[in-house]
Amino acid sequence: MRGIKSAAMVLAASPRLKEGEEDDHKGPVELVSPPENAKAGQRVIFEGWAGEPDGVLNPKKKVWETLQPGFTTTHGLEVGFDISGVPQLQEGENAGKPTGKLVTSSGGTCTVKSLTNAVVR
């Protein structure tokens, strides 16, 4: 989102579609909640995937479209990144990486209210 004027970015979870099922956009949808002690503008990362953001995202590389299928929720209602959702990352040094929780730079975990094994977009 670098270089795009924005007041905020919102992540939301919705139930994962079954194979062959069409998305009718009828919900439910739950907003991802930051930890109570998080400050506005605080950086969030997936554990195990820390790094520096690109200076400019090349829209032709489709970074968001490639990585978003790995965004999920756990049975503990935590938002996480599951490498099994991104075939391009399942080889080499990334092979076998566990699901990393979405955390703030101060260590708090981002959560949802009730949706487990959901898609986060």
Side-chain angles (χ1 to χ4, degrees), residues 45-60:
I45 61 164
F46 287 107
E47 289 178 323
W49 297 93
E52 293 303 313
D54 294 337
V56 176
L57 285 181
N58 181 342
K60 292 181 181 179

PDB file of all heavy atoms in Angstrom, residues 45-60:
ATOM      1  N   ILE A  45       3.314  -7.907  11.563  1.00  0.00           N
ATOM      2  CA  ILE A  45       4.017  -8.883  10.731  1.00  0.00           C
ATOM      3  C   ILE A  45       3.492 -10.270  11.071  1.00  0.00           C
ATOM      4  O   ILE A  45       2.897 -10.471  12.127  1.00  0.00           O
ATOM      5  CB  ILE A  45       5.542  -8.864  10.954  1.00  0.00           C
ATOM      6  CG1 ILE A  45       5.863  -9.209  12.421  1.00  0.00           C
ATOM      7  CG2 ILE A  45       6.156  -7.547  10.542  1.00  0.00           C
ATOM      8  CD1 ILE A  45       7.303  -9.595  12.668  1.00  0.00           C
ATOM      9  N   PHE A  46       3.723 -11.218  10.196  1.00  0.00           N
ATOM     10  CA  PHE A  46       3.470 -12.614  10.513  1.00  0.00           C
ATOM     11  C   PHE A  46       4.746 -13.171  11.130  1.00  0.00           C
ATOM     12  O   PHE A  46       5.834 -12.997  10.572  1.00  0.00           O
ATOM     13  CB  PHE A  46       3.083 -13.412   9.270  1.00  0.00           C
ATOM     14  CG  PHE A  46       1.699 -13.116   8.779  1.00  0.00           C
ATOM     15  CD1 PHE A  46       1.498 -12.372   7.633  1.00  0.00           C
ATOM     16  CD2 PHE A  46       0.590 -13.577   9.474  1.00  0.00           C
ATOM     17  CE1 PHE A  46       0.218 -12.094   7.188  1.00  0.00           C
ATOM     18  CE2 PHE A  46      -0.688 -13.303   9.044  1.00  0.00           C
ATOM     19  CZ  PHE A  46      -0.877 -12.561   7.894  1.00  0.00           C
ATOM     20  N   GLU A  47       4.629 -13.825  12.289  1.00  0.00           N
ATOM     21  CA  GLU A  47       5.797 -14.410  12.944  1.00  0.00           C
ATOM     22  C   GLU A  47       6.541 -15.307  11.962  1.00  0.00           C
ATOM     23  O   GLU A  47       5.936 -16.098  11.252  1.00  0.00           O
ATOM     24  CB  GLU A  47       5.378 -15.246  14.152  1.00  0.00           C
ATOM     25  CG  GLU A  47       4.876 -14.451  15.311  1.00  0.00           C
ATOM     26  CD  GLU A  47       4.429 -15.331  16.466  1.00  0.00           C
ATOM     27  OE1 GLU A  47       3.863 -16.408  16.224  1.00  0.00           O
ATOM     28  OE2 GLU A  47       4.638 -14.922  17.610  1.00  0.00           O
ATOM     29  N   GLY A  48       7.845 -15.173  11.936  1.00  0.00           N
ATOM     30  CA  GLY A  48       8.665 -15.975  11.041  1.00  0.00           C
ATOM     31  C   GLY A  48       8.819 -15.383   9.658  1.00  0.00           C
ATOM     32  O   GLY A  48       9.539 -15.914   8.820  1.00  0.00           O
ATOM     33  N   TRP A  49       8.136 -14.268   9.393  1.00  0.00           N
ATOM     34  CA  TRP A  49       8.185 -13.644   8.074  1.00  0.00           C
ATOM     35  C   TRP A  49       8.560 -12.169   8.175  1.00  0.00           C
ATOM     36  O   TRP A  49       8.155 -11.354   7.363  1.00  0.00           O
ATOM     37  CB  TRP A  49       6.838 -13.792   7.365  1.00  0.00           C
ATOM     38  CG  TRP A  49       6.487 -15.218   7.119  1.00  0.00           C
ATOM     39  CD1 TRP A  49       5.747 -16.024   7.924  1.00  0.00           C
ATOM     40  CD2 TRP A  49       6.884 -16.024   6.018  1.00  0.00           C
ATOM     41  NE1 TRP A  49       5.655 -17.280   7.386  1.00  0.00           N
ATOM     42  CE2 TRP A  49       6.339 -17.310   6.206  1.00  0.00           C
ATOM     43  CE3 TRP A  49       7.652 -15.784   4.883  1.00  0.00           C
ATOM     44  CZ2 TRP A  49       6.549 -18.346   5.310  1.00  0.00           C
ATOM     45  CZ3 TRP A  49       7.843 -16.823   3.983  1.00  0.00           C
ATOM     46  CH2 TRP A  49       7.294 -18.085   4.210  1.00  0.00           C
ATOM     47  N   ALA A  50       9.342 -11.809   9.183  1.00  0.00           N
ATOM     48  CA  ALA A  50       9.743 -10.409   9.360  1.00  0.00           C
ATOM     49  C   ALA A  50      10.645  -9.986   8.202  1.00  0.00           C
ATOM     50  O   ALA A  50      11.358 -10.792   7.621  1.00  0.00           O
ATOM     51  CB  ALA A  50      10.463 -10.234  10.688  1.00  0.00           C
ATOM     52  N   GLY A  51      10.610  -8.741   7.898  1.00  0.00           N
ATOM     53  CA  GLY A  51      11.446  -8.188   6.839  1.00  0.00           C
ATOM     54  C   GLY A  51      11.083  -6.738   6.629  1.00  0.00           C
ATOM     55  O   GLY A  51      10.209  -6.207   7.309  1.00  0.00           O
ATOM     56  N   GLU A  52      11.747  -6.116   5.717  1.00  0.00           N
ATOM     57  CA  GLU A  52      11.455  -4.726   5.405  1.00  0.00           C
ATOM     58  C   GLU A  52      10.542  -4.663   4.184  1.00  0.00           C
ATOM     59  O   GLU A  52      10.699  -5.444   3.241  1.00  0.00           O
ATOM     60  CB  GLU A  52      12.747  -3.957   5.144  1.00  0.00           C
ATOM     61  CG  GLU A  52      13.605  -3.812   6.386  1.00  0.00           C
ATOM     62  CD  GLU A  52      12.865  -3.145   7.536  1.00  0.00           C
ATOM     63  OE1 GLU A  52      12.207  -2.114   7.316  1.00  0.00           O
ATOM     64  OE2 GLU A  52      12.947  -3.667   8.675  1.00  0.00           O
ATOM     65  N   PRO A  53       9.584  -3.733   4.195  1.00  0.00           N
ATOM     66  CA  PRO A  53       8.683  -3.610   3.051  1.00  0.00           C
ATOM     67  C   PRO A  53       9.416  -3.112   1.812  1.00  0.00           C
ATOM     68  O   PRO A  53      10.430  -2.406   1.919  1.00  0.00           O
ATOM     69  CB  PRO A  53       7.642  -2.588   3.519  1.00  0.00           C
ATOM     70  CG  PRO A  53       8.292  -1.848   4.626  1.00  0.00           C
ATOM     71  CD  PRO A  53       9.293  -2.774   5.250  1.00  0.00           C
ATOM     72  N   ASP A  54       8.930  -3.510   0.654  1.00  0.00           N
ATOM     73  CA  ASP A  54       9.471  -3.004  -0.601  1.00  0.00           C
ATOM     74  C   ASP A  54       9.216  -1.503  -0.673  1.00  0.00           C
ATOM     75  O   ASP A  54       8.185  -1.016  -0.190  1.00  0.00           O
ATOM     76  CB  ASP A  54       8.798  -3.686  -1.797  1.00  0.00           C
ATOM     77  CG  ASP A  54       9.119  -5.165  -1.886  1.00  0.00           C
ATOM     78  OD1 ASP A  54      10.158  -5.577  -1.340  1.00  0.00           O
ATOM     79  OD2 ASP A  54       8.322  -5.903  -2.494  1.00  0.00           O
ATOM     80  N   GLY A  55      10.121  -0.773  -1.298  1.00  0.00           N
ATOM     81  CA  GLY A  55       9.941   0.662  -1.462  1.00  0.00           C
ATOM     82  C   GLY A  55       8.700   0.974  -2.277  1.00  0.00           C
ATOM     83  O   GLY A  55       7.933   1.870  -1.959  1.00  0.00           O
ATOM     84  N   VAL A  56       8.484   0.193  -3.332  1.00  0.00           N
ATOM     85  CA  VAL A  56       7.317   0.353  -4.204  1.00  0.00           C
ATOM     86  C   VAL A  56       6.894  -1.044  -4.640  1.00  0.00           C
ATOM     87  O   VAL A  56       7.735  -1.863  -5.015  1.00  0.00           O
ATOM     88  CB  VAL A  56       7.668   1.195  -5.452  1.00  0.00           C
ATOM     89  CG1 VAL A  56       6.500   1.274  -6.402  1.00  0.00           C
ATOM     90  CG2 VAL A  56       8.123   2.589  -5.058  1.00  0.00           C
ATOM     91  N   LEU A  57       5.603  -1.322  -4.557  1.00  0.00           N
ATOM     92  CA  LEU A  57       5.105  -2.611  -5.045  1.00  0.00           C
ATOM     93  C   LEU A  57       4.858  -2.526  -6.542  1.00  0.00           C
ATOM     94  O   LEU A  57       4.165  -1.622  -7.005  1.00  0.00           O
ATOM     95  CB  LEU A  57       3.813  -3.001  -4.338  1.00  0.00           C
ATOM     96  CG  LEU A  57       3.937  -3.485  -2.911  1.00  0.00           C
ATOM     97  CD1 LEU A  57       2.561  -3.854  -2.359  1.00  0.00           C
ATOM     98  CD2 LEU A  57       4.859  -4.687  -2.808  1.00  0.00           C
ATOM     99  N   ASN A  58       5.416  -3.464  -7.279  1.00  0.00           N
ATOM    100  CA  ASN A  58       5.193  -3.537  -8.713  1.00  0.00           C
ATOM    101  C   ASN A  58       3.865  -4.256  -8.935  1.00  0.00           C
ATOM    102  O   ASN A  58       3.740  -5.445  -8.628  1.00  0.00           O
ATOM    103  CB  ASN A  58       6.340  -4.304  -9.370  1.00  0.00           C
ATOM    104  CG  ASN A  58       6.199  -4.407 -10.868  1.00  0.00           C
ATOM    105  OD1 ASN A  58       5.120  -4.214 -11.425  1.00  0.00           O
ATOM    106  ND2 ASN A  58       7.294  -4.716 -11.531  1.00  0.00           N
ATOM    107  N   PRO A  59       2.840  -3.565  -9.460  1.00  0.00           N
ATOM    108  CA  PRO A  59       1.530  -4.207  -9.628  1.00  0.00           C
ATOM    109  C   PRO A  59       1.565  -5.414 -10.562  1.00  0.00           C
ATOM    110  O   PRO A  59       0.714  -6.293 -10.470  1.00  0.00           O
ATOM    111  CB  PRO A  59       0.648  -3.091 -10.190  1.00  0.00           C
ATOM    112  CG  PRO A  59       1.563  -2.045 -10.684  1.00  0.00           C
ATOM    113  CD  PRO A  59       2.856  -2.193  -9.947  1.00  0.00           C
ATOM    114  N   LYS A  60       2.553  -5.495 -11.431  1.00  0.00           N
ATOM    115  CA  LYS A  60       2.649  -6.635 -12.343  1.00  0.00           C
ATOM    116  C   LYS A  60       3.069  -7.908 -11.628  1.00  0.00           C
ATOM    117  O   LYS A  60       2.820  -9.001 -12.103  1.00  0.00           O
ATOM    118  CB  LYS A  60       3.626  -6.320 -13.472  1.00  0.00           C
ATOM    119  CG  LYS A  60       3.120  -5.251 -14.407  1.00  0.00           C
ATOM    120  CD  LYS A  60       4.087  -4.983 -15.514  1.00  0.00           C
ATOM    121  CE  LYS A  60       3.550  -3.875 -16.411  1.00  0.00           C
ATOM    122  NZ  LYS A  60       4.478  -3.567 -17.491  1.00  0.00           N
TER     123      LYS A  60
END
